[in-house]
Amino acid sequence: QVQLEESGGGLVQPGGSLRLSCAASGFIFSLNVMAWYRQAPGKQREWVATITNDGSTRYRGSVKGRFTISRDNAKKTMYLQMNSLNAEDTAVYYCNAPVSGTNYWGKGTLVTVSS
């Protein structure tokens, strides 16, 4: 079955960096679009970034130039490098994989940006 497991969250000071990972299994990772979403306290889940199977990337405007999505198909892992973090980036970050018409989600990893 499809499994997605995020890791790498934590507490970071404003201006700091974190790298999130999403380990995937149960589907052909190299052929699948992957994405990161986030949900801040009291807000709806929002899309952050997408990477296609050929490595093309897209970002929401507020993270463009600060976040970098990438993938390692050999390791079946997706990453999100987050730089210049600010308080508005505080959220639970989720890995997403649309597989055969079904949207799969990980359990999320919490990122807290605070001094």
Side-chain angles (χ1 to χ4, degrees):
Q1 69 277 25
V2 174
Q3 291 188 323
L4 302 169
E5 184 172 2
E6 303 92 340
S7 61
L11 174 63
V12 61
Q13 291 188 339
S17 298
L18 278 177
R19 189 176 84 152
L20 306 182
S21 299
C22 170
S25 62
F27 62 101
I28 305 175
F29 180 82
S30 61
L31 299 181
N32 220 80
V33 171
M34 299 291 296
W36 286 100
Y37 285 72
R38 67 186 181 186
Q39 187 167 16
K43 295 189 177 181
Q44 299 229 356
R45 190 173 299 189
E46 63 182 19
W47 169 76
V48 174
T50 295
I51 185 165
T52 65
N53 60 320
D54 66 359
S56 299
T57 59
R58 292 188 297 119
Y59 300 91
R60 73 179 298 109
S62 61
V63 309
K64 215 168 188 178
R66 300 189 298 121
F67 290 12
T68 302
I69 189 172
S70 62
R71 63 193 298 160
D72 184 332
N73 289 336
K75 294 183 178 179
K76 298 182 181 180
T77 301
M78 175 179 65
Y79 303 99
L80 186 67
Q81 177 67 45
M82 306 186 295
N83 299 329
S84 302
L85 286 161
N86 57 59
E88 288 68 42
D89 297 316
T90 293
V92 177
Y93 284 72
Y94 296 92
C95 176
N96 170 264
V99 181
S100 300
T102 299
N103 247 343
Y104 290 91
W105 300 91
K107 293 182 179 179
T109 186
L110 176 63
V111 172
T112 304
V113 184
S114 175
S115 54

